[in-house]
Amino acid sequence: MSNDGFPPPNPSDGSETGLGDLAAGSGDATPPSIDSTQVMPVTPSLPAENPGGAPPSAGAVPPGAPGGPGAPIVPTEQLPEPPWFKRPGAVAAVVTGVLLVGGVIALLFLLGGGDDEGGSELEPEPVSFVMVRNNTAGQPLATTISAAVTVQEPAPDAYLWVVPGDGVVGQPATRDTDATGRTEFRWAPLADADAATWSSTVEFAEFVLPEGDAAVSGLGAACTLERDGATETLVISADVRPDGVDESLTVIGSYSFPNVRFQTGDRVECTLGNEIPSPPPTTVPEATTTVPEATTTVPETTTTVPETTTTVPETTTTSSTTTTTTTTTTTTSSTTTTTLAPSDPTLGDALDTLGLTETKALLEQVGLLAEIEALGQPYTLFAPDNAAIADLRDDPAGPDLSDDAIVESLLRAHLSIGDSLALSELAGLTEIAVEFGDPQPIDAGATPPTVGTAVISGPDNVVEGGIVHVIDAALEPQP
């Protein structure tokens, strides 16, 4: 280091060090003046290691301290924060969240798929009932239909409504027809019910409004059942009865199915139509013709015998004093009246005469007696005797004779329309067509002859328009 400009120390001041009064701490010493124009270059260097472990000299700056060697550089301006996707851990958190959501969705899918698969095996299909309601002209009819379901096994209310969804078990459910006259009902067994033995019945009802000024007098219905891939025609009982609430022309229509129990998966479609007295119904294939009872009056015949006059010749007796003359006149008249033989009895009178009171009562119960008497066509009726009807009532497995639909079907299996066949004419047949079911078989070679499993007894009973044959057993409708 150069000391140019500074005079060397003067040893004459008596100090060994040459510092003089400054070293002795004299307060009177005056430091030498410094030329401010002179610059002493300073070269920074790292401090030498102190092998002896001596503390650094005073004024030394340790490494890493502010301003010292290795200290971090502090910027004079604040840098902007990096975006979220560049921050440490942000991307990892997003990826983790996506994986968690995906895992939850996959788990729900697997669980849901298992439930659906199990449900398709455990939950049976419902009964589906589609009804299309028309008026007499075949046009869609707006109405409200109610359905009452009853289950046979295991309990009457062991079902649930599928359509309508707000239907209450044990109570009728109601549905309105749409613009095409269509509505649908669906019901299914409970989850714990045995679908193999579960079955149900249903009855429908509605308020039927008049068409114009005419009240609806009947209902026509055609229904088909699809079960296990096969389709068949159903027998339906459709009836109307007065409302009973007021004097309007509104009636109550009801529909029932007496011969079927509905199972899971059954699909039924029905087309329903009105009937009115005039014009004749167009939706009912079978027409009923009423023929007024014929009355024959024979005028009274009167024969008048002309008056007969007998004149007795005059007798004259002459005597001397007296003359006598006598004349006698006789008039005779008569009246003749002619009367025809009585006509054949009506069916009702004939049943009374034959003592078939049970058959007559059943015919009257369903209105079939008046229909047969007014047919206007020849017919043959096989009428069971009272003992045969009693056997039906006492048979636990026999038909329900309180159900009008069942009674009517049973009686029509005894009625053949188109010919009045005497016993001698039946002997030439092997079967006879009837109004319900397939033809009834006839064994003319039997003694006496039989129809079905019943024996035909007695002579031919001729009535107005037909013939009645008395049988000793009721005929079963042929499949």
Side-chain angles (χ1 to χ4, degrees):
M1 179 180 301
S2 175
N3 291 322
D4 294 342
F6 290 90
N10 186 4
S12 61
D13 57 2
S15 172
E16 292 181 359
T17 60
L19 297 179
D21 296 335
L22 180 60
S26 173
D28 297 334
T30 302
S33 62
I34 297 175
D35 187 357
S36 61
T37 60
Q38 292 183 353
V39 176
M40 183 182 292
V42 178
T43 302
S45 61
L46 293 175
E49 295 183 359
N50 188 358
S57 60
V61 180
I73 300 174
V74 179
T76 59
E77 296 182 2
Q78 184 69 31
L79 296 177
E81 293 185 0
W84 67 269
F85 54 84
K86 291 185 178 180
R87 296 177 187 174
V91 175
V94 171
V95 172
T96 303
V98 171
L99 292 178
L100 287 176
V101 172
V104 172
I105 294 176
L107 180 61
L108 292 177
F109 176 79
L110 293 176
L111 293 177
D115 290 342
D116 290 342
E117 182 178 357
S120 62
E121 296 177 355
L122 298 178
E123 295 180 2
E125 295 185 12
V127 179
S128 175
F129 228 102
V130 175
M131 309 181 80
V132 179
R133 191 68 172 86
N134 298 325
N135 59 15
T136 55
Q139 298 174 342
L141 184 65
T143 185
T144 300
I145 300 177
S146 68
V149 172
T150 303
V151 175
Q152 275 63 53
E153 293 292 341
D157 57 352
Y159 70 96
L160 57 86
W161 283 110
V162 180
V163 177
D166 58 353
V168 178
V169 173
Q171 298 182 13
T174 58
R175 295 272 287 165
D176 295 332
T177 56
D178 59 16
T180 64
R182 182 184 183 278
T183 190
E184 181 177 5
F185 294 88
R186 293 184 185 180
W187 62 93
L190 298 177
D192 58 350
D194 185 0
T197 59
W198 183 89
S199 65
S200 60
T201 57
V202 63
E203 292 186 4
F204 298 95
E206 63 172 319
F207 288 102
V208 183
L209 301 178
E211 294 194 16
D213 297 332
V216 175
S217 60
L219 297 169
C223 297
T224 58
L225 167 64
E226 181 181 345
R227 175 182 292 174
D228 298 331
T231 302
E232 61 178 298
T233 301
L234 290 182
V235 176
I236 179 173
S237 176
D239 300 308
V240 295
R241 66 180 186 274
D243 185 357
V245 177
D246 51 37
E247 299 299 326
S248 68
L249 299 179
T250 301
V251 296
I252 297 177
S254 61
Y255 312 89
S256 60
F257 303 85
N259 300 326
V260 65
R261 299 290 184 266
F262 297 106
Q263 305 171 2
T264 59
D266 283 354
R267 300 181 181 274
V268 182
E269 292 192 6
C270 291
T271 300
L272 314 174
N274 290 343
E275 298 177 10
I276 56 177
S278 179
T282 58
T283 58
V284 180
E286 183 176 329
T288 301
T289 305
T290 303
V291 179
E293 183 178 343
T295 303
T296 303
T297 303
V298 179
E300 184 178 276
T301 302
T302 302
T303 304
T304 303
V305 179
E307 183 180 281
T308 303
T309 302
T310 303
T311 303
V312 178
E314 181 179 293
T315 303
T316 303
T317 304
T318 304
S319 64
S320 59
T321 59
T322 305
T323 299
T324 304
T325 302
T326 305
T327 301
T328 304
T329 302
T330 303
T331 302
T332 304
S333 64
S334 64
T335 301
T336 302
T337 302
T338 303
T339 305
L340 296 180
S343 61
D344 296 329
T346 64
L347 174 60
D349 292 341
L351 294 176
D352 287 335
T353 301
L354 295 171
L356 304 178
T357 55
E358 292 289 341
T359 296
K360 181 181 179 182
L362 292 178
L363 288 168
E364 290 178 332
Q365 174 181 328
V366 297
L368 198 54
L369 179 62
E371 180 180 334
I372 296 175
E373 290 180 338
L375 273 176
Q377 303 179 57
Y379 65 89
T380 304
L381 176 65
F382 299 97
D385 57 25
N386 290 345
I389 303 299
D391 290 341
L392 285 182
R393 296 186 187 277
D394 296 339
D395 186 1
D400 183 4
L401 298 185
S402 64
D403 190 321
D404 290 353
I406 294 177
V407 172
E408 182 176 357
S409 299
L410 177 68
L411 293 175
R412 288 188 182 275
H414 294 70
L415 175 64
S416 177
I417 298 177
D419 291 300
S420 297
L421 300 177
L423 195 57
S424 59
E425 295 172 304
L426 293 175
L429 303 177
T430 58
E431 63 180 16
I432 182 172
V434 290
E435 287 299 291
F436 181 78
D438 289 343
Q440 294 285 355
I442 293 179
D443 186 359
T447 305
T450 61
V451 55
T453 59
V455 174
I456 304 174
S457 61
D460 302 328
N461 300 290
V462 180
V463 298
E464 283 186 358
I467 290 180
V468 176
H469 295 289
V470 181
I471 56 178
D472 66 350
L475 303 180
E476 294 185 1
Q478 298 298 307

